[in-house]
Amino acid sequence: MQFRDLKKQYQVLKQDMDAALTDTAASAAFIMGKPVKELEAELAAYVGVKHCVSCANGTDALTLALKTWGIGKGDAVFVPDFTFFSSAEVVSLEGATPVFVDVDKDTFNLDAADLEEKIGETVAKGELTPKVIITVDLFGLPADYPRIRKIADTYRLLILEDGAQGFGGEISGKKACGFGDISTTSFFPAKPLGCYGDGGAVFTDNDEWAALLDSYRVHGKGQFKYDNVRIGMNSRLDTLQAAVLKIKLKAFREYEVADINRAAARYTEKLQGKVKTPVVPEGYYSSWAQYTIRLDSKEQRDALQAVLKEQGIPTMVYYPTPMHDQTAYKNLKVPVGSCPVAEQLCHTVLSLPIHPYISEEDIDSVCEGILTFIAKK
């Protein structure tokens, strides 16, 4: 059993995928070839925004957004405490300071009430200037944008949507990567829409920001690549990855998101009431980057993971350490207990195998292993 079966996906898409790879090799246009612009147009249309600027990876996508806004030393950027390291790492790389915010116990996404409290505390201290809220659409579910947008407007903050796991999710029909002032995603192979290496994209409706993003991703270029008007980056999406993503995006739109939702529904049907299953609020739609259950304790979680491993069932813990407790951020001296939900989740969450091509038999096997374990305990 595969945790996320990319081999099976390739077999299903093999004919079109092989043709796309061969066409790219034959063209020899390996950097910024025609498929890159075609993909950007398709992604922008899918999300429902004016501009999509592709780049080398999801971390660079976040960095490009912060550079476009001129975020730097003395600025505060609010980041969920329960997320992958890059969501905060990019803030520090620009010289700004991440302020960690607790998450909701049901959705695992940024807690709006704690966000407002942390903004107020930051303003009261007067040491940093609040500038940006980085939301994370964790495990495929968009964050609480209706509430977060109100807070952002109140304090005149920008929203940077980290949609690395959320691409394909929705709120009331509006697609993820369309909620931020600038939004980003990652095409890391295991993401809901993944390529065959690294890749990322940035989305915005702002014409000026889109032009800056395009400049920053190619060494701060001006009218042409040898006209360098600002200090930028080397962060372009390879033509080969764009060709792969064009094939995958078609499958993603046509059936993959629907199929992975059916898989998630089967998990929930069998596990609900036995363990804490994921919550999808009314009006929300998840792209299920992960299907993540909660156990009662770290000991129970670790024991279940070990039992499932013995049965050949792969699982993952996302994430074992809250952001504020990472070694790299010890210098911030975040008080113990400042993000209690994040700390608890790190000890109790377990992600199960899920992907658009998983069989009902595999889901049933995973559930049987979990239910047998729970019954014995």
Side-chain angles (χ1 to χ4, degrees), residues 203-215:
F203 301 87
T204 187
D205 282 321
N206 187 295
D207 297 340
E208 180 183 351
W209 293 344
L212 285 170
L213 290 163
D214 183 46
S215 171

Side-chain angles (χ1 to χ4, degrees), residues 14 16 26 39 50 61 88 106 109 122 124 127 131 144 147 201 216-217 249 253 260 270 274 309 314 333 370:
K14 187 178 188 305
D16 290 340
L39 175 69
K50 288 176 66 176
D106 292 323
N109 281 328
T122 303
E127 298 172 359
K131 287 289 185 69
D144 187 357
R147 292 183 65 192
Y216 276 119
R217 70 170 167 173
L249 179 59
R253 284 191 308 245
I260 203 168
K270 291 182 169 293
K274 305 297 183 181
K309 183 178 180 180
K333 295 182 171 58
I370 295 170

Side-chain angles (χ1 to χ4, degrees), residues 282-353:
E282 186 176 353
Y284 284 66
Y285 189 69
S286 178
S287 57
W288 296 104
Q290 311 295 341
Y291 187 94
T292 304
I293 62 173
R294 284 179 61 187
L295 286 304
D296 293 335
S297 65
K298 184 179 188 300
E299 292 73 21
Q300 186 186 40
R301 189 268 309 278
D302 293 349
L304 173 59
Q305 186 175 36
V307 166
L308 293 177
K309 183 178 180 180
E310 290 174 0
Q311 298 173 13
I313 298 172
T315 60
M316 293 289 291
V317 174
Y318 302 104
Y319 299 94
T321 306
M323 294 292 284
H324 76 266
D325 208 28
Q326 293 285 351
T327 302
Y329 284 123
K330 294 290 189 183
N331 63 307
L332 294 181
K333 295 182 171 58
V334 177
V336 175
S338 64
C339 295
V341 175
E343 292 175 8
Q344 183 185 47
L345 292 177
C346 289
H347 293 150
T348 57
V349 294
L350 187 66
S351 296
L352 309 179

Side-chain angles (χ1 to χ4, degrees), residues 9-17 247-248 251 255 357:
Q9 183 192 49
Y10 170 68
Q11 291 302 320
V12 172
L13 302 176
K14 187 178 188 305
Q15 183 175 347
D16 290 340
M17 193 66 73
I247 301 300
K248 285 197 173 190
Y255 62 85
Y357 303 92

Side-chain angles (χ1 to χ4, degrees), residues 125 133 174 212 237 350:
K125 285 181 181 178
I133 302 165
K174 182 174 180 177
L212 285 170
L237 182 69
L350 187 66

